Amino acid sequence: MREELFRLIQNHAYRFREEPFTLASGKKSRHYFNCKEITLHPERLELLCKYIVQKHLPETGLDGAEAFGGLTMGADPICFGISLEFRKQFKNVFPLIVRKQAKDHGTKNLVEGGVNAVKSCVVVDDVITTGGSTLQAIKSLRDAGLEVKACICILDREEGGKDAIEAEGIRVFPLFKKSEFGSLE
């Protein structure tokens, strides 16, 4: 499964061009990983979440997690997919959505989902560069009263994000690292 996911990322999510892309972090790079090409494609998302639940979580000791949550929109399909994969095992594992900012109406919550049903969660992101989005999600999840146990992501760009997240006491378990895709930059 991991080899197939790697091939899908290489063929569908990875882009290279001489004119640099601007990343969410504001950094520039000639290498871009658009993991939405995996997470917003039903067949690819199904394989990703099956791999996460059956292999990645047990290997990292995170298979007992109560919930998975992260900043919308990168984490949303992953969290939903993980939750549905666990349902196949008759387990309720809650997806949590972390808003980028609170609504100005209703409950005004930053975190939506089964917040009151769980005590802890694993934070999720698709790609980690500087860790800014993941750190924002961690703060919101903690502010909602949850213990953040660890972090998983599809790809660690190896540009300081993992270190920044681990400085917050959260271990990061990427499925892949940028360096696995060859000598990039």
Side-chain angles (χ1 to χ4, degrees):
M1 275 191 287
R2 189 177 193 282
E3 292 78 17
E4 187 175 351
L5 274 174
F6 180 86
R7 183 184 55 75
L8 288 170
I9 292 168
Q10 194 167 43
N11 293 338
H12 298 284
Y14 173 66
R15 301 284 181 271
F16 173 86
R17 69 179 188 201
E18 289 301 322
E19 179 187 335
F21 295 91
T22 301
L23 307 177
S25 64
K27 287 186 169 191
K28 303 275 188 192
S29 176
R30 294 182 299 154
H31 305 274
Y32 183 65
F33 292 87
N34 181 5
C35 285
K36 308 300 184 286
E37 294 292 335
I38 305 300
T39 64
L40 298 179
H41 184 284
E43 185 179 4
R44 296 173 197 157
L45 176 63
E46 181 180 39
L47 176 65
L48 171 70
C49 294
K50 183 177 180 180
Y51 174 74
I52 289 171
V53 170
Q54 292 183 9
K55 301 289 184 188
H56 193 65
L57 295 177
E59 289 170 3
T60 57
L62 298 173
D63 48 334
E66 298 178 283
F68 290 83
L71 198 64
T72 197
M73 119 169 210
D76 294 350
I78 304 167
C79 296
F80 299 146
I82 289 171
S83 180
L84 291 172
E85 194 62 35
F86 273 112
R87 278 304 312 144
K88 294 177 184 175
Q89 300 173 13
F90 305 101
K91 295 179 184 173
N92 281 329
V93 175
F94 291 87
L96 304 172
I97 296 173
V98 180
R99 295 178 187 277
K100 293 181 181 176
Q101 60 187 42
K103 298 186 304 181
D104 61 358
H105 61 283
T107 61
K108 301 181 182 181
N109 292 336
L110 272 175
V111 181
E112 298 289 352
V115 178
N116 296 322
V118 299
K119 291 180 175 44
S120 64
C121 69
V122 172
V123 70
V124 175
D125 212 334
D126 54 356
V127 178
I128 291 176
T129 303
T130 63
S133 296
T134 309
L135 291 168
Q136 182 181 346
I138 290 167
K139 180 182 182 328
S140 296
L141 290 162
R142 286 176 169 168
D143 288 350
L146 298 171
E147 177 188 357
V148 180
K149 296 271 193 182
C151 171
I152 63 168
C153 64
I154 299 173
L155 184 89
D156 174 10
R157 284 186 56 94
E158 302 174 290
E159 295 182 31
K162 181 179 181 201
D163 292 338
I165 295 163
E166 290 188 342
E168 288 292 316
I170 311 280
R171 291 207 44 214
V172 179
F173 298 98
L175 276 68
F176 300 98
K177 296 176 184 173
K178 182 173 106 172
S179 57
E180 293 179 66
F181 292 84
S183 59
L184 308 178
E185 293 178 327

